[in-house]
Amino acid sequence: MSVRPWRDIVRRQSRQIMVGNVPVGGDAPVTVQTMTNTDTSDVKATIDQIRRCEEAGADIIRVSCPDVESTTALKQIVRAARVPIVADIHFHYKRALEAADAGAACLRINPGNIGSADRVNEVVNAAKANGAAIRIGVNAGSLEKDLLEKFGEPCPEALVESALDHIKLLQDRDFHQFKVAVKASDVFLAVAAYQQLADAVDCPLHLGITEAGGFVGGTVKSAIGIGSLLWFGIGDTIRVSLSAEPEEEIRVGFEILKSLGIRNRGVRVVSCPSCARQGFDVIRTVQALEERLQHIRTPLSLSVLGCVVNGPGEARETDIGLTGGGNGKHMVYLSGLTDHTVEDADMLDHIVKLVEAKAAEIEAANAEPAQAAE
């Protein structure tokens, strides 16, 4: 039994597929995705945005391929990307064939939406020939007409039935390298649909609350929906859908995973909301630190507390701690222990240097066992 059983998450056992060189499902880490919002045919703009998403930590990136110009550009985009590229296809089966030939690691498509059985066969054959996976993407906003007539409205049962219909089309053609999403903008609907689907299939599940909204509202809805499912052990890859830049989606996605202890990347900041007791401007300090520490990928923790009420206690649980003191002099904690003070004017630069040094120390310690094993 775990030392802290109330923190344990028992993950649903799904089979594993490969999206390019990234495993999804099984015992692989939960991956974080986003989607570009550039015109895909603008190769430079798209690659530039992909690069920013990669720097933010994206494991997989999706691009929309609505026309032949975008699938033509896709070959160059795939070559430039450092992570697997998913081609987003809706109704035009030829775009799927072109995207597979261009090197897409995965095709986001609903097999039942692309026409005849012959067209489905062509897409499946193209995916097999090019080693591409398929992501079935069911959305409450675009359910099939017959399902809406049958159920009267988008509901969990309708989303799951749609997903199972699309899955059967692939399984009947002996294609099993697929993952599935049943997204909705309604948190309750999405969570219930994913729960039902998780019980019905063993394939990896792609989590998301679609059309979640702007940065603040969409982050809250996504954290509730995606976070609840992950807490239940459901989910193998996630995309936070925000009306914001895609690199922000990646940062929010990792924060959700970090808050559940599922996956850690970069600095986890513990900070107080601030009050009249604060010895320095906590809000502006945290904002500045988060901005300046985005380049840190090594998991470590930093507490930033404005006063001594909770500061020492939080510092005991973090790698580096900062607690506000009087007369512009603040206490710094290292590995939970009181270490030294820092003046107000030097505080930001000093903490950044400490975090960078701690990250380097952790990386060096992690590298030693790997070198010894070689």
Side-chain angles (χ1 to χ4, degrees):
M1 181 179 286
S2 168
V3 175
R4 298 181 179 88
W6 37 270
R7 293 187 62 179
D8 291 348
I9 293 175
V10 180
R11 189 172 174 187
R12 163 184 171 267
Q13 289 301 303
S14 62
R15 57 187 171 79
Q16 190 173 102
I17 68 168
M18 295 299 295
V19 177
N21 62 353
V22 174
V24 176
D27 60 356
V30 176
T31 54
V32 181
Q33 305 191 25
T34 188
M35 185 173 183
T36 58
N37 56 29
T38 55
D39 180 348
T40 306
S41 62
D42 186 337
V43 173
K44 183 181 184 307
T46 303
I47 291 174
D48 286 347
Q49 191 171 72
I50 286 172
R51 202 65 78 227
R52 293 194 295 275
C53 294
E54 290 169 339
E55 290 300 316
D59 298 300
I60 299 169
I61 297 174
R62 180 158 45 116
V63 302
S64 184
C65 293
D67 48 42
V68 69
E69 289 79 14
S70 57
T71 53
T72 299
L74 190 63
K75 181 175 285 189
Q76 190 174 345
I77 292 167
V78 166
R79 282 201 305 266
R82 299 168 186 153
V83 299
I85 298 296
V86 178
D88 193 84
I89 314 293
H90 281 276
F91 305 109
H92 303 289
Y93 85 103
K94 286 188 177 180
R95 302 293 86 79
L97 304 180
E98 294 158 1
D101 288 341
C106 182
L107 307 174
R108 187 277 187 196
I109 193 167
N110 286 348
N113 290 355
I114 59 176
S116 67
D118 287 342
R119 290 182 175 182
V120 176
N121 288 338
E122 283 193 64
V123 172
V124 169
N125 289 337
K128 286 181 177 180
N130 291 281
I134 288 177
R135 198 261 277 188
I136 294 170
V138 176
N139 194 308
S142 56
L143 275 172
E144 294 89 331
K145 186 177 179 181
D146 63 316
L147 289 175
L148 286 174
E149 291 174 353
K150 176 180 178 179
F151 291 98
E153 64 175 358
C155 62
E157 293 75 16
L159 268 68
V160 171
E161 185 168 325
S162 176
L164 294 177
D165 288 344
H166 292 302
I167 287 171
K168 188 174 187 303
L169 289 173
L170 297 183
Q171 290 179 329
D172 286 350
R173 290 160 175 81
D174 195 30
F175 189 88
H176 305 283
Q177 290 293 303
F178 61 85
K179 51 195 174 85
V180 185
V182 281
K183 294 186 177 183
S185 59
D186 181 293
V187 174
F188 296 97
L189 173 55
V191 170
Y194 275 111
Q195 288 175 317
Q196 289 186 23
L197 186 63
D199 289 336
V201 298
D202 70 344
C203 61
L205 298 184
H206 170 118
L207 303 188
I209 305 299
T210 193
E211 287 98 37
F215 184 76
V216 175
T219 293
V220 172
K221 284 180 68 175
S222 297
I224 293 170
I226 295 173
S228 296
L229 288 164
L230 290 169
W231 201 341
F232 298 148
I234 296 170
D236 302 286
T237 184
I238 68 173
R239 189 256 171 125
V240 177
S241 299
L242 302 175
S243 299
E245 292 305 317
E247 53 266 42
E248 296 299 330
E249 295 186 349
I250 295 296
R251 294 183 183 113
V252 172
F254 269 103
E255 288 299 324
I256 293 172
L257 295 179
K258 282 159 66 175
S259 68
L260 291 169
I262 291 173
R263 187 173 173 195
N264 291 312
R265 180 189 188 277
V267 182
R268 177 175 63 86
V269 177
V270 177
S271 61
C272 67
S274 81
C275 69
R277 293 191 303 266
Q278 64 183 357
F280 57 86
D281 188 334
V282 173
I283 293 174
R284 249 59 64 183
T285 298
V286 170
Q287 288 174 343
L289 287 170
E290 287 182 334
E291 181 67 29
R292 292 182 60 178
L293 295 173
Q294 285 184 16
H295 65 291
I296 302 293
R297 300 189 177 192
T298 307
L300 59 90
S301 53
L302 167 67
S303 57
V304 181
L305 281 294
C307 75
V308 296
V309 173
N310 293 317
E314 294 294 349
R316 281 196 296 270
E317 305 298 324
T318 54
D319 295 300
I320 298 168
L322 174 68
T323 296
N327 301 317
K329 187 175 286 189
H330 315 298
M331 182 57 66
V332 176
Y333 303 77
L334 301 180
S335 300
L337 301 176
T338 303
D339 195 89
H340 59 275
T341 59
V342 62
E343 298 287 340
D344 216 43
D346 306 321
M347 183 174 63
L348 279 176
D349 289 342
H350 185 69
I351 295 299
V352 169
K353 288 178 182 177
L354 287 175
V355 171
E356 290 174 338
K358 185 65 178 180
E361 176 189 324
I362 293 171
E363 286 297 303
N366 291 338
E368 287 176 7
Q371 290 171 352
E374 291 178 354

